[in-house]
Amino acid sequence: MTATPPELARFSINQETVRQLSLPALAEACGELGVTQAGLWREPVRRYGVEAAARLMGDAGLTVTSLCRGGFLTATDPGERRRALDDNRAALEEAAALGTGTLVLVSGGLPRGSRDLRGARERVADALAELGDHAAAVGVRLALEPLHPMFASDRCVVSTLGQALDLAERFPPDQVGVVVDTYHLWWDDQVPGHIARAGSTGRIAAFQLADWVTPLPEGVLVGRGQLGDGCVDLRHFRSLVDAAGYRGPVEVEIFNPGLWARDGTEVLAQTARRYVRHALG
Amino acid sequence: MTATPPELARFSINQETVRQLSLPALAEACGELGVTQAGLWREPVRRYGVEAAARLMGDAGLTVTSLCRGGFLTATDPGERRRALDDNRAALEEAAALGTGTLVLVSGGLPRGSRDLRGARERVADALAELGDHAAAVGVRLALEPLHPMFASDRCVVSTLGQALDLAERFPPDQVGVVVDTYHLWWDDQVPGHIARAGSTGRIAAFQLADWVTPLPEGVLVGRGQLGDGCVDLRHFRSLVDAAGYRGPVEVEIFNPGLWARDGTEVLAQTARRYVRHALG
């Protein structure tokens, strides 16, 4: 295992950035580069086995910085809602087993046929209330992630950091935090104030990086850019989050078929270099 | 010409919604349906001839509710910036010739390679300062349109109604107003307050309707939904704008290849019916 370069001390690779790598291949690539932190996703972890994944990460000296993702808490149908809550309880247990204190939540979009954004946001709050004690009991924080407004109807009715904080602040800070993701928030001129507010109330549960590039692909889900390829001032964002008192991992999470088509270890190495060049200093 | 049904008194059809119709065909279709207002676009108007278009509209009893569009005012290159300002001065003259008091402005995106959103927004303000007197002199208001944040990098660095108002309020209300377009603003929980603010300061220059539907197409430009096909609470929006004191036209502007592939007169009739069903009452 390579010693961690000091400039990568806070760097974490989100598994989805290099989804072409199996969990063992990810662990090996991280070892070669001196990367010591990774954010994981539930589906590949469950396929590998949660306990086995936890052992693999531990044996490789890797800290799991977050688990993606719970959420999808906006259903009005009682059965669907109960299943979603059960699934989030399972996700909390998985996060705890992996040793991460952060479960990323994507709130969910509008139910089919609904036009009631406010009601959907209130159902997210209701769900956080139902999950909060469980989260605290297993030492995992529910990290509410605002997604870009282009996802407001079909994925996430929480569109700004301000909205996420309005929801999170109804609960104790050890139960509910927020995710600051540059891809989703870069356009918002209110975000410096929101980041300061999130920091002062101890709510920043995760900080994630991706760049904004156009044209957006159909469906807009997998159009994120490698760091430095787009128009987000990543260094400025990092300085805002640092100034707000955040000292945790900086996780790079990019969904991009171009990156997925290449050698995963090479993409990881490039991502680490880009992180140093565009987010540090 | 059919008498205008009372429920269509404020209805205006934006030309781009039925772009398959030539200007004379649009005028004829409006006459058949009793539609008395239309928003026009510069390119088809210039192809037809500005004076000829003004005569055609007048002869058909049609009021031009807006001209789309000026803007694209964020260039840093001096030559490009001068050309953009000249083009906007020409657009003001065209609007005046058509008898509309509203020139819709799309601010422009980030120059290639730039990450400076704040600087780009300031250049928009500088351009409004340069254009304001000309606008007042010809009796046309510069109507700054916030576009959805998914267009922030490549089309419009003004992403919220709050940002648009912050810019507009630096200038006299007869020179600079804002456009309230449901497609761009529907996701924003701050928008009721912004609409009230825009109304109380006399800034609402135009009110446009389109619905939000997914999945978004590649490039995300022409993915707007026919009224009622998506998740925007159009009636609520209209009630907010009315409560803010706006009494002007309600213009339907939908970019949708599915609508463009159909008979334009039939699309216009459908749009008017949808307007009555989903935006009134």
Side-chain angles (χ1 to χ4, degrees):
Chain A
M1 198 185 302
T2 303
T4 303
E7 67 269 22
L8 293 185
R10 292 175 66 191
F11 176 77
S12 174
I13 184 71
N14 185 283
Q15 175 174 24
E16 193 69 8
T17 307
V18 285
R19 67 179 297 172
Q20 64 271 54
L21 295 179
S22 67
L23 270 173
L26 174 66
E28 189 181 332
C30 286
E32 283 172 20
L33 294 162
V35 171
T36 60
Q37 304 183 106
L40 299 184
W41 278 66
R42 291 182 74 198
E43 294 73 9
V45 163
R46 294 174 87 158
R47 279 198 304 271
Y48 192 80
V50 178
E51 296 303 331
R55 273 195 308 274
L56 177 74
M57 294 290 116
D59 291 347
L62 277 167
T63 300
V64 179
T65 51
S66 70
L67 182 64
C68 295
R69 60 192 183 191
F72 296 92
L73 300 164
T74 51
T76 43
D77 175 74
E80 201 178 328
R81 178 173 175 78
R82 195 177 56 246
R83 283 190 296 278
L85 288 167
D86 286 346
D87 186 57
N88 277 275
R89 291 186 188 100
L92 284 167
E93 298 290 337
E94 291 160 21
L98 292 165
T100 178
T102 301
L103 176 65
V104 175
L105 298 192
V106 169
S107 76
L110 288 171
R112 180 174 295 274
S114 170
R115 298 187 172 99
D116 182 12
L117 267 178
R118 181 195 293 252
R121 289 173 181 145
E122 280 308 309
R123 287 194 297 283
V124 176
D126 294 345
L128 293 173
E130 290 207 44
L131 295 170
D133 287 343
H134 189 153
V138 296
V140 173
R141 184 146 69 152
L142 302 161
L144 198 58
E145 177 163 26
L147 295 202
H148 192 284
M150 68 189 176
F151 296 116
S153 69
D154 55 1
R155 257 170 210 281
C156 186
V157 293
V158 179
S159 301
T160 66
L161 190 54
Q163 289 172 6
L165 287 167
D166 287 345
L167 285 165
E169 287 170 359
R170 302 191 198 178
F171 305 95
D174 64 319
Q175 291 185 12
V176 184
V178 296
V179 179
V180 176
D181 186 317
T182 60
Y183 187 76
H184 298 300
L185 304 174
W186 74 277
W187 57 271
D188 186 356
D189 64 345
Q190 304 298 305
V191 87
H194 295 153
I195 289 174
R197 172 179 158 200
S200 70
T201 52
R203 298 283 174 177
I204 303 179
F207 177 41
Q208 296 183 325
L209 302 181
D211 215 335
W212 179 270
V213 292
T214 54
L216 293 163
E218 184 181 358
V220 304
L221 190 58
V222 293
R224 303 190 189 188
Q226 175 60 284
L227 310 185
D229 283 354
C231 60
V232 180
D233 190 340
L234 300 167
R235 190 175 286 107
H236 178 62
F237 248 90
R238 205 223 66 229
S239 73
L240 290 173
V241 171
D242 281 2
Y246 179 74
R247 298 289 176 266
V250 183
E251 201 177 296
V252 181
E253 184 189 53
I254 306 170
F255 307 160
N256 183 313
L259 298 184
W260 295 333
R262 290 166 46 196
D263 175 76
T265 302
E266 155 47 29
V267 171
L268 175 54
Q270 181 197 46
T271 303
R273 289 193 303 272
R274 293 292 189 96
Y275 163 80
V276 172
R277 190 188 315 161
H278 294 284
L280 289 190
Chain B
M1 197 187 301
T2 303
T4 303
E7 67 270 22
L8 293 186
R10 293 175 66 191
F11 176 78
S12 173
I13 184 72
N14 185 282
Q15 175 174 24
E16 193 69 8
T17 307
V18 285
R19 67 179 297 171
Q20 65 272 51
L21 295 179
S22 67
L23 270 173
L26 174 67
E28 188 181 335
C30 286
E32 284 172 19
L33 294 162
V35 171
T36 60
Q37 303 183 106
L40 299 185
W41 279 67
R42 290 183 74 198
E43 295 73 9
V45 164
R46 292 174 88 158
R47 279 198 304 272
Y48 191 80
V50 178
E51 296 303 330
R55 272 195 308 276
L56 178 73
M57 295 290 116
D59 291 348
L62 276 166
T63 300
V64 179
T65 51
S66 71
L67 181 64
C68 295
R69 61 193 181 191
F72 296 93
L73 300 164
T74 52
T76 44
D77 175 75
E80 200 178 326
R81 178 173 175 76
R82 196 177 55 246
R83 283 190 295 279
L85 288 167
D86 286 346
D87 185 56
N88 277 276
R89 291 185 188 101
L92 284 167
E93 298 291 337
E94 290 159 24
L98 292 166
T100 178
T102 301
L103 176 65
V104 175
L105 298 192
V106 170
S107 76
L110 288 171
R112 180 174 295 273
S114 170
R115 298 186 172 99
D116 182 12
L117 267 178
R118 181 195 293 253
R121 289 170 181 148
E122 279 309 307
R123 287 195 296 283
V124 176
D126 294 345
L128 294 173
E130 290 207 44
L131 296 169
D133 286 345
H134 190 153
V138 295
V140 174
R141 185 146 68 153
L142 302 161
L144 198 58
E145 177 163 27
L147 296 201
H148 192 284
M150 68 188 176
F151 296 116
S153 70
D154 56 0
R155 255 169 211 282
C156 187
V157 294
V158 179
S159 302
T160 66
L161 190 54
Q163 288 172 8
L165 286 168
D166 288 344
L167 286 165
E169 287 170 358
R170 302 192 200 178
F171 305 95
D174 64 318
Q175 290 185 13
V176 184
V178 296
V179 179
V180 176
D181 186 316
T182 60
Y183 187 76
H184 298 300
L185 304 174
W186 73 278
W187 57 271
D188 186 356
D189 64 345
Q190 304 298 305
V191 88
H194 295 153
I195 289 174
R197 172 179 158 200
S200 70
T201 53
R203 298 282 174 176
I204 304 178
F207 177 40
Q208 295 183 325
L209 302 181
D211 215 334
W212 180 270
V213 292
T214 55
L216 293 163
E218 183 182 358
V220 304
L221 190 58
V222 293
R224 304 189 189 188
Q226 174 61 284
L227 310 186
D229 283 353
C231 60
V232 180
D233 190 340
L234 300 166
R235 191 175 286 108
H236 178 62
F237 248 90
R238 203 223 69 229
S239 73
L240 290 173
V241 171
D242 280 2
Y246 179 76
R247 298 288 176 266
V250 183
E251 201 177 295
V252 181
E253 184 190 54
I254 306 170
F255 306 161
N256 183 313
L259 298 184
W260 295 333
R262 290 165 46 197
D263 175 77
T265 302
E266 156 44 31
V267 171
L268 175 54
Q270 180 197 45
T271 303
R273 289 194 303 271
R274 293 291 188 97
Y275 163 81
V276 172
R277 189 186 317 160
H278 295 284
L280 288 191

